[in-house]
Amino acid sequence: IGDMPLHLQVKLLHVLQNMRFERVGGNKSIIVDVRVIAATNRDLEEMIKEGTFREDLYYRLSVINLNMVPLRQRREDIPVLADYFLKHFAASNNKPMKGISTEAMTAMMEYAWPGNVRELRNAVERGVIVSKNGYIEAEDMPEVITGRIKPQPEPEQPRERVRDLESFFERQRLDMAKKLMVEFKGNKSKVAQKMGISRSTLYRLLNRTGEV
């Protein structure tokens, strides 16, 4: 809604106030009975001060407000969303995909996602399209996500939240390590290489489950 030009804002306000409109070129009013869900990532109150958004439309729409939590503050959703988008774009591109490599998932978990879910969706779509082996690898991801281009600094988070995220990410890596140990029949060198970590880090992970 924050990108709607002023002349269209007037038309929308007219419809919401009168619950009727006329088709282009028509002379008969059409009565409507609708509820409107509007979304924006812009500061509408600031736009009102700047004269780029109508105040009367803002208060007409602003009945129940929901503030969406940014993706960087709910990182536990990243693997779930990434898997969903992977399946979606694999089907739409008729391209069989096996999954997302640990290195690529690590990069996604550590990235700040200023573009939120939309940016994640685009990143996975790109990964599916350019993938060569059925996995989205780190090199298939946009450079800003993998750190080849320096990202914007992430807003500071409460220490408790950071510890929760670190714990979640560590569990994700441990689960992946255990799956790869089965896939590579206990070959720790191949597992470490696939995960993009050192053998010592892999030993530390596996030591928690007594599998070393």
Side-chain angles (χ1 to χ4, degrees):
I1 194 71
D3 298 316
M4 180 176 286
L6 281 169
H7 71 279
L8 291 182
Q9 293 179 31
V10 175
K11 294 181 181 295
L12 177 59
L13 178 63
H14 176 77
V15 173
L16 294 177
Q17 288 179 336
N18 301 296
M19 301 304 290
R20 63 182 66 225
F21 70 96
E22 294 180 1
R23 290 176 177 170
V24 176
N27 55 14
K28 181 181 178 181
S29 292
I30 299 174
I31 299 175
V32 294
D33 182 11
V34 297
R35 293 181 179 179
V36 177
I37 299 175
T40 184
N41 61 354
R42 305 181 65 178
D43 188 340
L44 295 184
E45 293 183 354
E46 187 64 30
M47 292 179 65
I48 291 173
K49 295 177 183 178
E50 296 171 352
T52 56
F53 197 87
R54 292 183 62 96
E55 185 175 19
D56 46 6
L57 177 59
Y58 173 78
Y59 287 113
R60 192 67 181 81
L61 291 171
S62 184
V63 178
I64 299 176
N65 294 321
L66 298 175
N67 294 319
M68 298 298 295
V69 178
L71 188 58
R72 64 176 175 270
Q73 293 181 16
R74 49 188 176 98
R75 294 182 187 273
E76 62 275 13
D77 290 348
I78 293 175
V80 179
L81 290 168
D83 182 65
Y84 170 79
F85 292 137
L86 176 75
K87 294 175 181 176
H88 171 78
F89 289 116
S92 62
N93 288 277
N94 194 26
K95 188 172 183 178
M97 295 295 296
K98 301 175 184 177
I100 301 173
S101 74
T102 302
E103 187 179 359
M105 182 59 71
T106 299
M108 287 194 285
M109 292 295 293
E110 294 178 345
Y111 182 58
W113 298 108
N116 291 300
V117 176
R118 184 180 299 174
E119 185 180 9
L120 175 61
R121 182 181 189 275
N122 291 345
V124 175
E125 181 179 15
R126 168 197 165 117
V128 169
I129 292 172
V130 304
S131 173
K132 301 180 181 64
N133 62 0
Y135 285 93
I136 294 181
E137 304 286 355
E139 58 265 27
D140 301 327
M141 305 292 292
E143 294 180 345
V144 69
I145 295 175
T146 57
R148 286 171 286 176
I149 295 178
K150 188 175 181 181
Q152 295 295 320
E154 184 176 351
E156 185 176 350
Q157 300 180 21
R159 189 60 215 163
E160 294 77 9
R161 179 65 177 171
V162 173
R163 283 197 294 267
D164 289 344
L165 292 175
E166 289 173 348
S167 176
F168 172 79
F169 179 58
E170 198 74 359
R171 291 197 303 272
Q172 290 290 312
R173 292 211 301 175
L174 177 58
D175 290 343
M176 182 61 69
K178 291 165 66 177
K179 291 178 182 177
L180 290 176
M181 284 290 290
V182 175
E183 180 179 342
F184 291 111
K185 299 179 180 179
N187 190 320
K188 297 181 179 63
S189 296
K190 290 184 178 180
V191 173
Q193 182 180 8
K194 182 67 176 178
M195 294 184 66
I197 61 178
S198 66
R199 283 176 60 91
S200 61
T201 300
L202 177 62
Y203 272 96
R204 180 177 59 79
L205 285 171
L206 296 178
N207 188 52
R208 296 185 176 185
T209 60
E211 297 187 20
V212 176

